[in-house]
Amino acid sequence: MTTQPVDSSELWAGFEALDAQQAAAAPWEEPIPLTARRELPAFPTEVFPAWLGDFVRAVAEETQTPVDMAASLALAVLSTAAGGRAVVHVRGRWREPTNAFVVVALPPGNRKSAVFSLMTNPLYKAEALLAAASAGAIIEAELTAKLAKEVAENAATKAARADADKRDQLVAEAISLAQTAESLTVPARPRLLADDATPEVIASLLAEQGGRLSVMSAEGGIFDIIAGRYSGTPNMEVFLRGQAGDRLRVDRRGREEFIESPALTMGLTVQPSVLEDIGRIKGAGDRGLLARFLYSLPTSLVGHRKILPDTIPDPVADTYEERVIALTMSLADWTDPAVLQLSPEANDVLVAYERRQEPRLRKRGGDLGHVGNWAAKLGGATCRLAGLLHLATHTDNGHTQPITAATMCDAVNLSDYYTGHALAVFDLMGADHTANRARIVYELLRANEWTEVSKREVMTKLSRSEFPTMAELDPALNLLEDHGYIRAQPVHRSGGRGRPPSPRYLIHPQLSEPTV
C-alpha cells in the first residue's frame, strides 16, 4: 500500500482557514472609543505645604479662576526662587536641576493678569531686596574699574611721551595696568524676572545673572518671538539649553561667554489658540521645545463665578510672601548649587513610577507613544517637581535633609496631572496623526457597512493626499485593531508567483450593521 505525500501548503492553508473561522466566530467585545473626550484630572493642591496650598486656593477663590492656574504658577514661582541654586541627585550621575517650564491655557476673560500679579509679587520684592543688598558692592566695583581704567590710560600716555631708553619699561607697565583694568568686572544688578524678551536678550541676561533667570508673562507673546517675529526664523536654542541645563555660549559686549549650567524658568498663561500656534513653530516638536513644558488646560469658570467671593485672608497672603522671599534669599548666594538627596524610600517610589510609565511609551499600544518626546522626560520632570515641593516644605534648610517618599508620591501625583492635561494639549496641536488617520478609516468602514474587507479595498476608497502609500495605512489599521474595531485574518500564501494576497480584516458589528 502506498501513501500519497502530504502537500504542506494545503495543510497550512487548512490551518489558516480554521483559524479564520475561529476568529470570525469569536464574540466581539465593546470597542474602545477613538474619539472619547478626555477627562482632565483636577489639580491636587494637597501636594503643597499648608502655607502654599492655602494661598493658591485663596487666590482661586478671590479671583474666581480655576485653581490650576494659581497652582501651576506657584510651581513657576518656586522654580524662579530655586532654579540654578539647587539640584536633585537622583542616582549615580543622574542629577536634575530645579527649574521648570509651565504654561497654563485659558480663554480671554479669565483674569490671568490678576492671578499672575498675586502669585509673582513676592518675587519682585525679593528682587528689590537682592538689588539693595548688592548696591554697595556694585558702586565700589564701578569706582574701582573706573579708577583702574584711568590709571591705565595715564600710564599709556606717559609711555608714549617717554624717552626711548625708558619707553619699553613704561609700555610694559601700561600694558599690565590695562590688562588689570580689563579684568575687573562690575556685577550686574540682581534680576530674577524677565518678560517677553528676545532670545538674544534672554541669553545676555542669563550670562549677566550667572545662568539664572525666569521668563514670566501673562500673555503668550514669547512664543511669537521664538517663532521668529523679529528674526524671521525660529530661535529656540537658549530655551532648549536653558531648560535642560546644557552649556550655552553667549556673545555679548564684544566677548564670548560660556554659561556652564544655565537654569531658565518659564511661567506663562496663554490663550488655548496659542498652544495650537506653538505646535506649528518650525522645529518645535523635532527639537524638543514642546517636550519641555508642563501643560495645564483648566476648565474656565466664566459664567459660573461668584459675584462676591471670599477675599484672601491677610495672614495667608503675608505667610506666602514671607516664605517665597525667604526661599529666594536663602539660595541667592549659592554659586555651587545645593544638592538635594533622595531618601531610599523616595527612590523606591520613583522606580515604581518609572516602571509604570515605561510600557505607556510604546509606539503601538502605549497611550503616550504619540507624545513620546514629551513623555520620555517625565521621570526627570517628576524629580524636579519633588525638589520644588521639598524646598517649599523646607524653605530655610532643604539641603540639610533628604527628599522623603511622601514628597516623591506628591510629585508623582503632579506628573499624572500634567500628563492628563498634556494629552489634551497635544490633541489641540494635532500631535496624534495616527489617531486622526484612524478616525478617517473608521468613518470609511462605518459608511460602507462592510463585514469584511481587504486592505487593498480600503486603500482604493481613501484620499491619496492623506494616505499616499499602503504603508501609510498600516498604523491606522493597527490602532483600529488595538481598539477592537477590526480583526486581522491570516494571509494564505500559496507559494506561487505574483502579487501576494492583500491582508483582510473582519469588521466589528457596530460598524458593519446598518444604523437605524
Side-chain angles (χ1 to χ4, degrees):
M1 178 177 178
T2 61
T3 58
Q4 296 293 327
V6 177
D7 188 332
S8 60
S9 63
E10 291 182 2
L11 184 61
W12 183 252
F15 285 137
E16 287 185 333
L18 180 61
D19 288 341
Q21 292 172 1
Q22 292 174 340
W28 289 89
E29 296 181 358
E30 186 69 18
I32 302 169
L34 287 172
T35 56
R37 184 178 180 275
R38 296 190 185 277
E39 292 297 326
L40 297 179
F43 195 100
T45 57
E46 65 275 8
V47 303
F48 291 139
W51 67 269
L52 185 54
D54 289 347
F55 186 73
V56 161
R57 289 184 286 268
V59 167
E61 168 66 19
E62 179 172 303
T63 59
Q64 286 297 285
T65 54
V67 73
D68 314 53
M69 177 158 54
S72 291
L73 289 176
L75 292 171
V77 168
L78 294 173
S79 173
T80 303
R85 300 296 185 268
V87 298
V88 178
H89 179 218
V90 185
R91 64 181 81 101
R93 289 180 173 81
W94 180 10
R95 290 190 174 193
E96 285 290 337
T98 51
N99 57 302
F101 283 14
V102 181
V103 60
V104 184
L106 277 168
N110 274 274
R111 300 168 179 165
K112 294 189 284 288
S113 294
V115 175
F116 215 91
S117 178
L118 289 167
M119 297 305 301
T120 59
N121 277 342
L123 292 176
Y124 286 98
K125 292 185 177 181
E127 188 178 78
L129 289 173
L130 290 170
S134 64
I138 292 174
I139 292 172
E140 180 179 348
E142 287 176 338
L143 182 58
T144 301
K146 180 180 178 181
L147 292 174
K149 186 177 180 180
E150 290 177 355
V151 169
E153 289 174 350
N154 290 336
T157 301
K158 184 178 179 181
R161 294 173 180 173
D163 296 335
D165 59 334
K166 296 180 179 179
R167 185 172 298 160
D168 289 346
Q169 179 181 351
L170 292 175
V171 166
E173 291 176 359
I175 291 173
S176 177
L177 290 170
Q179 290 173 337
T180 299
E182 182 65 24
S183 68
L184 296 176
T185 58
V186 178
R189 184 179 185 273
R191 184 168 179 178
L192 298 174
L193 299 154
D195 206 320
D196 291 341
T198 65
E200 293 78 13
V201 170
I202 290 173
S204 182
L205 288 173
L206 270 172
E208 282 185 354
Q209 300 300 322
R212 172 197 199 186
L213 189 70
S214 180
V215 177
M216 303 280 281
S217 176
E219 302 296 337
I222 187 66
F223 291 116
D224 288 337
I225 296 172
I226 294 172
R229 178 198 294 172
Y230 302 115
S231 63
T233 57
N235 186 349
M236 60 191 79
E237 196 68 26
V238 66
F239 303 98
L240 299 177
R241 294 179 178 273
Q243 190 271 349
D246 295 335
R247 196 183 200 204
L248 179 65
R249 182 167 60 188
V250 180
D251 295 312
R252 69 187 189 97
R253 294 179 184 175
R255 68 178 184 272
E256 185 178 80
E257 294 186 8
F258 287 95
I259 307 173
E260 292 297 332
S261 300
L264 183 64
T265 291
M266 294 187 78
L268 310 170
T269 56
V270 302
Q271 296 180 26
S273 60
V274 173
L275 294 180
E276 297 179 55
D277 295 337
I278 299 171
R280 300 188 188 101
I281 296 176
K282 184 178 180 181
D286 294 340
R287 298 197 60 197
L289 179 65
L290 302 182
R292 282 164 166 75
F293 281 91
L294 298 175
Y295 298 96
S296 177
L297 193 65
T299 301
S300 172
L301 299 183
V302 173
H304 304 275
R305 296 177 293 192
K306 296 179 186 177
I307 304 305
L308 294 173
D310 296 334
T311 59
I312 303 172
D314 287 341
V316 171
D318 292 343
T319 302
Y320 172 73
E321 180 177 297
E322 290 167 3
R323 292 297 183 93
V324 171
I325 292 175
L327 177 61
T328 306
M329 301 301 287
S330 69
L331 293 172
D333 293 333
W334 285 76
T335 51
D336 292 329
V339 179
L340 310 178
Q341 302 286 348
L342 297 186
S343 68
E345 296 77 14
N347 184 62
D348 292 341
V349 173
L350 177 62
V351 169
Y353 173 71
E354 292 176 288
R355 286 175 176 158
R356 167 163 68 91
Q357 289 294 102
E358 192 63 25
R360 301 179 70 187
L361 302 178
R362 293 169 184 165
K363 287 293 183 182
R364 184 175 180 185
D367 64 322
L368 301 179
H370 66 290
V371 292
N373 287 347
W374 183 87
K377 297 182 182 298
L378 274 173
T382 303
C383 295
R384 296 186 186 211
L385 292 170
L388 293 176
L389 294 176
H390 177 77
L391 291 171
T393 304
H394 309 282
T395 51
D396 295 325
N397 60 351
H399 64 285
T400 65
Q401 43 199 310
I403 296 172
T404 65
T407 298
M408 187 59 75
C409 286
D410 289 338
V412 167
N413 288 338
L414 280 179
S415 287
D416 288 340
Y417 165 85
Y418 284 114
T419 297
H421 284 248
L423 287 171
V425 167
F426 282 108
D427 284 348
L428 275 179
M429 296 180 185
D432 197 349
H433 301 298
T434 299
N436 293 336
R437 288 179 170 181
R439 292 185 188 101
I440 293 172
V441 178
Y442 168 92
E443 294 297 337
L444 175 69
L445 299 178
R446 189 172 68 170
N448 283 273
E449 298 178 354
W450 288 312
T451 58
E452 182 180 336
V453 69
S454 72
K455 179 180 176 183
R456 190 170 291 116
E457 288 172 317
V458 172
M459 190 68 184
T460 60
K461 298 281 189 178
L462 292 168
S463 166
R464 287 296 182 272
S465 63
E466 187 66 41
F467 295 89
T469 66
M470 293 281 276
E472 301 282 351
L473 182 55
D474 287 335
L477 291 173
N478 290 338
L479 186 61
L480 287 170
E481 187 172 10
D482 288 341
H483 281 250
Y485 286 105
I486 61 177
R487 289 178 184 164
Q489 297 189 78
V491 177
H492 172 57
R493 297 173 177 83
S494 63
R497 296 182 179 181
R499 186 168 61 176
S502 177
R504 300 191 65 81
Y505 296 88
L506 300 177
I507 312 298
H508 194 288
Q510 250 188 35
L511 303 183
S512 59
E513 293 174 356
T515 56
V516 179

